Amino acid sequence: MTTAQDYTATAIPPVSSLARRHLTPAILWSGIAIELGILVRLLPLFQGNFPLNDGGMFYQMLLDLQNNAYRLPLFISYNGGDIPFAYAPFTFYLGALLSDFTPISLLQILQYFPAVMSIASLCAFLWLSNTILASPEQAAFATLIFALVPRTYNWEIMGGGLTRSPGFFFALLTIGMAYRLYRHPTPTRIVLTGLFGTLAVLSHLEMGVAAGVGSILCYLVYGRKRQSIRSSLIVTAIVLAGSSPWWVSILANHGIGPFWAAAHTGHHSWLNWLSWLSLSFSQEPFGTIATVVGLLGIFTLIAERRYFLPLWFIVIFLVDPRKAATLSIVPLSMAVGYFLSGSFLPGLRAKGFSPRLGTVFLSIVTLSMLLSSLAAATPAWDNPMQVLPLAEREAMVWVRQNTPSDSQFVMVTSTPEWPSDAASEWFPVLAARRSLSTVQGTEWLPNGLYEMTIERYDDLQICASEGAGCVQEWSASNDIQFTHIYISKTAIHYAEGRNPDCCIILRKNLSENPDYQVIYDGPGAMVLSHNPRE
């Protein structure tokens, strides 16, 4: 009699000798996937000689680490200096050392290193899918999807990808090694699983959690044996011991507060597992090809009682809804590979269609997804993979040189979502002045300050199309006193048909208001001092 244990233990069948006949097309499609993946990850970097989108706070953290002789600082000297230096430190040490001992500058590290690690993640995914799926051809098709879905790389290649991208890379290695460990345990696999897990935690805590979740699922499906329990305990001990210099230091200097605050910023809800029903999480501009085919693969796997990938897909949305849009593409891409190679293409051949039809179909899908990925890098799609314009950077340098050091700024950029607001993040670094509306870093602060700052940010950006009254109402309702206001002129993220010149109405209204005085009016921004009448 077949039991549920039998079904879950054979979630994905092992590689068979029959798979060898797929080796040549598998190599071809794998090569195409890697080459196209490299292309879409590198092209956005050449918009300008500056990191994509975010990374301003990380730039300051790299400087702080160097200036503190590589001792972990207590606080980040960014935007007021009250943010704990609680971020996982591995890539900060790596980036700072690279800058100190090579000709590479910190800005160049933030510009290029995340993309290099995203390409490494693509290679790690190819290895992972070859580990889990039944044939190299399935793995090749899965890698093609992973290479071209924008969500797998858009946030990883930005300046802030300094931590996200290596964390993703090590999470993939951890899960792949855990899968192998629980299928065929060896001492080497125990050590490597622990090592990769440690590096995932020390690169990006959220990715460390993702690595842990994936590894636990590998254990539940494949490793429910006494030997696996012992292996799991050793791996856990390695990860805790290897990462302890960091988290023990944070607990000793700041207590549990920063971790507790950060843990409550993920928008957790028991309904999160249903969010995939929107079909928009992959952020494909031209439809949802990968999402729809991936879900067909998920349902096919469930129908065949192969539960590992479907479970992994759903659990990601439950455990980490904030990062689920990225992480869920891993099992979803594998489900695409399983469906195409294991069901769709064999089905065409079984019905008497020429194998060339399958090749034509895959070529059309590949071309469509490539065009979709290239379109995702254009401003018309409200895409965050943009560089802060030189004109705005020059305006910020002017602020540094011509305003009092204790000035308190608010930023109006009209950016629809704060993570995409490069100006607000880079301003405290380039202008060396405090921005009262910048969100970055507040996730580590207590008393719900993170959610409160986001709400303030959103309300302030509404003023971009209104007048001085909107700004004053915002100031009064939030009890925020500011000395200057910075208004962007270059709206980086604009939808098709929208005027790319930000905040014309607000700039005109404030420049005519006696409570404000224009002190800078350049091509990138207008800066006004705020001197309210008694």
Side-chain angles (χ1 to χ4, degrees):
M1 179 178 178
T2 304
T3 65
Q5 169 79 18
D6 298 322
Y7 287 136
T8 55
T10 58
I12 300 295
V15 176
S16 66
S17 59
L18 294 176
R20 295 192 184 96
R21 65 179 180 175
H22 300 302
L23 192 58
T24 301
I27 292 175
L28 172 65
W29 284 106
S30 295
I32 292 173
I34 296 297
E35 290 177 2
L36 294 182
I38 292 173
L39 174 68
V40 298
R41 283 159 174 78
L42 291 184
L43 274 180
L45 304 185
F46 299 103
Q47 299 177 43
N49 191 26
F50 202 73
L52 292 176
N53 190 30
D54 61 359
M57 184 174 65
F58 286 178
Y59 177 82
Q60 188 62 54
M61 293 173 71
L62 290 166
L63 283 176
D64 289 348
L65 198 58
Q66 290 177 331
N67 293 336
N68 204 43
Y70 288 91
R71 297 186 299 272
L72 206 62
L74 292 180
F75 295 93
I76 310 168
S77 58
Y78 174 85
N79 206 27
D82 56 354
I83 301 169
F85 203 114
Y87 287 82
F90 174 70
T91 51
F92 294 106
Y93 277 103
L94 181 59
L97 287 168
L98 281 174
S99 177
D100 267 344
F101 293 99
T102 71
I104 306 173
S105 70
L106 291 179
L107 281 177
Q108 288 172 329
I109 288 169
L110 289 171
Q111 184 176 1
Y112 296 110
F113 178 75
V116 170
M117 291 306 303
S118 182
I119 293 170
S121 295
L122 178 59
C123 298
F125 178 85
L126 176 60
W127 170 78
L128 175 64
S129 54
N130 269 297
T131 296
I132 293 177
L133 294 173
S135 74
E137 187 177 77
Q138 290 182 15
F141 294 155
T143 306
L144 183 66
I145 299 301
F146 184 86
L148 294 178
V149 171
R151 188 65 203 204
T152 63
Y153 64 86
N154 56 2
W155 288 95
E156 314 328 299
I157 66 173
M158 300 176 194
L162 175 72
T163 61
R164 293 188 291 261
S165 205
F168 200 10
F169 171 71
F170 289 121
L172 294 174
L173 293 183
T174 303
I175 295 167
M177 195 54 63
Y179 182 94
R180 293 186 173 211
L181 170 64
Y182 293 126
R183 295 298 295 265
H184 304 289
T186 67
T188 300
R189 288 174 178 172
I190 292 174
V191 173
L192 288 177
T193 304
L195 174 62
F196 293 145
T198 300
L199 291 172
V201 170
L202 288 176
S203 297
H204 192 281
L205 183 56
E206 204 168 16
M207 290 300 185
V209 172
V213 169
S215 299
I216 290 171
L217 282 176
C218 290
Y219 166 78
L220 292 175
V221 174
Y222 301 109
R224 288 177 290 176
K225 301 181 287 289
R226 180 174 298 179
Q227 183 181 9
S228 297
I229 295 175
R230 185 184 65 178
S231 299
S232 300
L233 291 174
I234 296 173
V235 168
T236 303
I238 292 173
V239 174
L240 289 175
S243 60
S244 62
W246 164 56
W247 55 264
V248 168
S249 171
I250 302 303
L251 291 176
N253 292 307
H254 302 286
I256 194 67
F259 292 126
W260 183 259
H264 287 78
T265 61
H267 311 294
H268 294 279
S269 166
W270 287 107
L271 296 178
N272 285 329
W273 71 278
L274 295 173
S275 59
W276 58 271
L277 292 173
S278 69
L279 304 183
S280 61
F281 56 90
S282 61
Q283 297 183 349
E284 301 169 77
F286 299 160
T288 54
I289 298 173
T291 306
V292 171
V293 178
L295 290 177
L296 288 174
I298 292 289
F299 296 140
T300 300
L301 286 162
I302 294 174
E304 296 178 2
R305 299 183 179 181
R306 306 186 189 280
Y307 299 125
F308 177 64
L309 292 179
L311 277 174
W312 191 7
F313 178 75
I314 294 298
V315 167
I316 285 172
F317 283 94
L318 275 172
V319 174
D320 192 1
R322 182 172 60 180
K323 202 64 178 174
T326 297
L327 297 171
S328 64
I329 305 300
V330 176
L332 189 77
S333 297
M334 294 189 203
V336 172
Y338 184 87
F339 177 76
L340 290 178
S341 181
S343 298
F344 181 74
L345 295 179
L348 289 179
R349 290 191 289 268
K351 294 182 181 296
F353 290 101
S354 168
R356 292 182 179 179
L357 180 61
T359 302
V360 170
F361 172 79
L362 291 173
S363 299
I364 292 174
V365 169
T366 301
L367 179 61
S368 299
M369 292 197 63
L370 175 61
L371 293 175
S372 178
S373 295
L374 295 175
T378 64
W381 297 99
D382 290 333
N383 170 38
M385 290 188 290
Q386 309 296 322
V387 170
L388 181 66
L390 176 61
E392 286 219 58
R393 285 178 264 155
E394 291 174 342
M396 294 177 188
V397 172
W398 185 93
V399 168
R400 175 196 288 260
Q401 296 171 346
N402 295 276
T403 61
S405 59
D406 60 350
S407 300
Q408 304 288 301
F409 276 77
V410 293
M411 309 279 297
V412 180
T413 65
S414 83
T415 308
E417 296 183 349
W418 70 266
S420 303
D421 191 344
S424 288
E425 174 159 1
W426 281 97
F427 180 85
V429 176
L430 299 180
R433 299 294 181 266
R434 186 166 191 178
S435 165
L436 302 174
S437 54
T438 294
V439 178
Q440 279 81 3
T442 57
E443 67 268 28
W444 299 99
L445 299 178
N447 303 321
L449 190 60
Y450 173 74
E451 289 80 7
M452 187 185 306
T453 307
I454 292 176
E455 184 177 354
R456 290 173 177 172
Y457 173 88
D458 292 338
D459 291 343
L460 181 60
Q461 302 317 308
I462 295 174
C463 297
S465 57
E466 300 189 24
C470 175
V471 177
Q472 292 306 114
E473 182 180 346
W474 176 87
S475 174
S477 62
N478 292 288
D479 193 24
I480 291 178
Q481 306 301 318
F482 60 95
T483 62
H484 295 77
I485 183 168
Y486 176 104
I487 309 175
S488 295
K489 288 187 178 180
T490 54
I492 304 173
H493 313 285
Y494 58 89
E496 193 169 3
R498 176 179 162 191
N499 194 329
D501 185 357
C502 166
C503 323
I504 296 175
I505 296 175
L506 181 61
R507 293 202 311 271
K508 183 177 185 299
N509 189 275
L510 290 184
S511 63
E512 297 172 350
N513 189 300
D515 288 347
Y516 295 87
Q517 179 182 357
V518 177
I519 59 174
Y520 177 85
D521 190 8
M526 175 183 284
V527 179
L528 304 97
S529 61
H530 179 218
N531 304 292
R533 293 166 295 176
E534 296 297 334

